[in-house]
Amino acid sequence: MKGINIATDGLVNYADLIVSGKKYYETRNTNSLKPYIGKRVGIIETKRGKKAQLVGYATIGEPQVVNQKTFNQLMPLHLVSPGSKFDIKPGKTKHLYPIIDPIKLPQPIDASSTRGIVARDISDIHYNDHRL
């Protein structure tokens, strides 16, 4: 099983917002989550200076490619604030991936032994009894 990396932006913990069902879209500058569309993946919280942690699971939906106007209109669903390092750049587009059926683990699991820029193999670290 794969886990996708979700970076924390300052005090905003996007991974927790995803697994808590509050962040409905994961935003990316490119179609980097294409291999995971329609698949159940682990949600990996990453933060500079902290160990990566598996915090839950979700299914990744087919993305919308949006312009700046639409991105700003959908802010209540993706939760990326204006001025954030993940905000859309003027004149560019963003991929918004729907997050389907998120589940938060009762306790995070250390995923620092795995590596990857976009995703990482978490086959050996997920809960064996967790219903995917």
Side-chain angles (χ1 to χ4, degrees), residues 24-81:
Y24 297 98
Y25 290 107
E26 169 59 6
T27 68
R28 300 288 169 123
N29 292 329
T30 66
N31 198 12
S32 63
L33 298 182
K34 183 178 180 178
Y36 313 107
I37 295 170
K39 296 182 179 171
R40 196 81 172 149
V41 296
I43 303 298
I44 308 292
E45 175 188 334
T46 62
K47 184 175 183 178
R48 187 176 299 272
K50 299 268 184 170
K51 290 183 177 185
Q53 296 188 346
L54 173 65
V55 295
Y57 298 94
T59 300
I60 305 300
E62 190 72 42
Q64 298 180 53
V65 179
V66 299
N67 61 19
Q68 188 172 11
K69 179 181 177 183
T70 303
F71 184 82
N72 292 337
Q73 290 171 336
L74 293 173
M75 199 275 288
L77 300 176
H78 60 67
L79 303 176
V80 176
S81 298

Side-chain angles (χ1 to χ4, degrees), residues 89-110:
K89 306 291 185 257
K92 299 293 184 177
T93 60
K94 283 278 225 183
H95 288 70
L96 274 60
Y97 294 87
I99 302 297
I100 304 163
D101 297 326
I103 294 176
K104 184 175 183 174
L105 293 176
Q107 295 293 321
I109 300 172
D110 182 3

